[in-house]
Amino acid sequence: MAVLHLTAAPHRTWFFAGAVQLIAAMGWWMGELGARYVGWFSPPAWAVPPGWLHAYVMLYGVFPFFIFGFLMTAVPNWLGEGRIPRTCYVPAAGLMLAGALATYVGATAGVAFLRWGTGLALAGWALAWSGLFDLVRRTTRPDRRYPLVVLTLTAVGFLLHASVLAWLASGEVSLFRLARIGAIWFFLLPLFFNVSHRMIPFFSSRALPDYPVVRPSWSVPLFTAGSVVHGVLELAGLTAWTWIPDGVMLAVVLYLLVAWRGWRSLPVPLLSMLHIAFAVLALALALHVLQGLVWLGGRAVLGLAPLHLLAIGYFSAMLMAMVSRVSLGHSGRPLVADRLTFGCFLGVLASAVLRVAADLAPGAPWLMPAAALLWLASFGAWAWRYVPFYFLPRVDGRPG
């Protein structure tokens, strides 16, 4: 019966698989950091550089589970019709989870297993994308703008993911560089921003009285263009000029922070999590602007601090906030973040601060495993709270 509940709706299957993967991914990375910087044990001989594997697993092996779980729930609601069939989302999530397992085996067993892992994950990605595409293709709704945007961005993510397989097959390092940089600027950042732009004002209007929904039509294309230009400049080795598109994106986010009146959400913890994570995006972009200006002066002093604030403080924190709301709402529970949920969210933000500090203070190597441990503890406690929802029927008796 529990398995039937787990597969009763796309978000249940995908969020459960994603929770398993995010705990496994950070558990592996925390062990690697502990071995490297604290001397917990002698690290094994990895099939590829561990930093590269960490980037691959986090960018392509963790976030997509939650992305597809969210999109397979939200897109039918946006279209007002249709449903992704269980024969699509269950095997798709299974293939991606099997790919993750093969990747961990391949970390020490060899590149052949890594190829298998990437191939299985790509097969699951393609199957999930086809289910979304078929739903959008068949709809009679005239306004399909948001679904088409997210379909395009997830297709871009698939192609970038495929470049990882091409790198593993050919050994051409530039292919992995494309996958690593492209994942941030061509896929995840535009996608997260588009979802934030769509959902934060909507959720705010549902929770706050007399809340004006502000979604300026120019903000999404301008921000997306800035993100793409940043990625192109970085790939071209013109990092010194990335501050220009970063400044444009920062201006867009600052405008929306004011227009969305996030301070009104503070009495509503579940809603404030979304607004706070979006505010961290502004801080991350400000650091990217500063990094670009420092590069213009011939020095780079911030290391990976801007990137980690973006990945942990925005991507990871927004993921927790959004998935918490979807999990509560679609389990029939009140849309209220308890102390544990909000504490886990603050823990993720604190882990981002520690990781940024590790980049700015290279003389304190313990900060990196400490940040990983706090991230793991925060998401571990969050999973302990939310994963059981996916195995139980809705508390309001409704299907799904």
Side-chain angles (χ1 to χ4, degrees):
M1 184 63 70
V3 174
L4 290 178
H5 291 309
L6 179 64
T7 61
H11 77 278
R12 291 171 174 263
T13 304
W14 284 105
F15 290 172
F16 167 72
V20 171
Q21 170 64 342
L22 67 83
I23 299 300
M26 190 51 69
W28 169 80
W29 183 237
M30 187 183 70
E32 159 62 20
L33 292 177
R36 192 191 319 173
Y37 293 106
V38 189
W40 289 348
F41 55 87
S42 298
W46 302 111
V48 296
W52 294 17
L53 190 59
H54 169 63
Y56 168 67
V57 168
M58 296 304 296
L59 297 174
Y60 293 104
V62 171
F63 291 120
F65 283 99
F66 296 98
I67 289 170
F68 282 118
F70 175 82
L71 293 181
M72 287 187 172
T73 303
V75 170
N77 290 335
W78 294 346
L79 297 175
E81 59 184 81
R83 179 180 173 88
I84 306 294
R86 187 181 310 198
T87 52
C88 171
Y89 63 79
V90 171
L95 284 167
M96 288 181 63
L97 203 55
L101 176 61
T103 297
Y104 292 124
V105 173
T108 54
V111 173
F113 280 96
L114 293 177
R115 295 193 198 109
W116 271 105
T118 305
L120 287 169
L122 283 168
W125 193 311
L127 181 58
W129 189 90
S130 68
L132 287 167
F133 175 78
D134 187 60
L135 186 65
V136 175
R137 179 183 61 83
R138 289 186 289 105
T139 186
T140 57
R141 283 290 184 94
D143 185 9
R144 298 182 294 175
R145 179 165 53 95
Y146 269 101
L148 288 174
V149 166
V150 296
L151 272 175
T152 301
L153 291 172
T154 48
V156 170
F158 175 86
L159 294 175
L160 292 166
H161 194 174
S163 69
V164 175
L165 184 59
W167 161 61
L168 291 170
S170 67
E172 179 55 54
V173 173
S174 62
L175 291 170
F176 182 78
R177 184 169 179 267
L178 170 64
R180 178 179 56 80
I181 294 173
I184 297 291
W185 303 105
F186 303 153
F187 169 46
L188 289 175
L189 183 55
L191 182 61
F192 270 72
F193 180 82
N194 271 272
V195 171
S196 299
H197 185 270
R198 171 82 179 196
M199 304 310 299
I200 292 178
F202 172 74
F203 289 151
S204 299
S205 69
R206 291 297 186 94
L208 303 175
D210 301 319
Y211 183 86
V213 174
V214 179
R215 294 194 190 104
S217 59
W218 50 264
S219 55
V220 167
L222 186 58
F223 186 95
T224 303
S227 186
V228 171
V229 170
H230 178 113
V232 170
L233 289 172
E234 193 168 334
L235 285 170
L238 300 173
T239 308
W241 299 101
T242 55
W243 66 272
I244 298 175
D246 294 343
V248 171
M249 289 188 287
L250 177 58
V252 173
V253 172
L254 290 175
Y255 174 86
L256 293 176
L257 283 174
V258 175
W260 288 347
R261 305 178 186 180
W263 55 87
R264 289 188 57 192
S265 71
L266 294 178
V268 187
L270 187 64
L271 179 62
S272 69
M273 290 163 62
L274 298 169
H275 285 276
I276 292 169
F278 194 74
V280 176
L281 172 60
L283 295 176
L285 290 171
L287 280 188
H288 273 96
V289 170
L290 179 59
Q291 181 82 306
L293 291 173
V294 171
W295 269 108
L296 197 61
R299 297 180 301 115
V301 297
L302 300 182
L304 295 177
L307 183 62
H308 282 117
L309 187 57
L310 179 65
I312 303 173
Y314 178 52
F315 293 160
S316 296
M318 184 61 76
L319 181 152
M320 179 179 283
M322 200 71 72
V323 171
S324 296
R325 194 190 191 286
V326 172
S327 298
L328 289 169
H330 285 268
S331 65
R333 291 171 170 80
L335 294 174
V336 177
D338 58 12
R339 291 183 178 179
L340 176 62
T341 301
F342 197 71
C344 292
F345 175 77
L346 294 179
V348 171
L349 295 181
S351 71
V353 172
L354 281 178
R355 189 59 186 84
V356 168
D359 281 304
L360 301 180
W366 59 271
L367 285 170
M368 291 181 66
L373 179 60
L374 182 55
W375 191 98
L376 182 60
S378 300
F379 266 105
W382 175 87
W384 177 82
R385 173 76 169 85
Y386 283 87
V387 164
F389 296 173
Y390 311 138
F391 290 89
L392 299 172
R394 289 179 59 116
V395 296
D396 58 6
R398 294 172 57 190

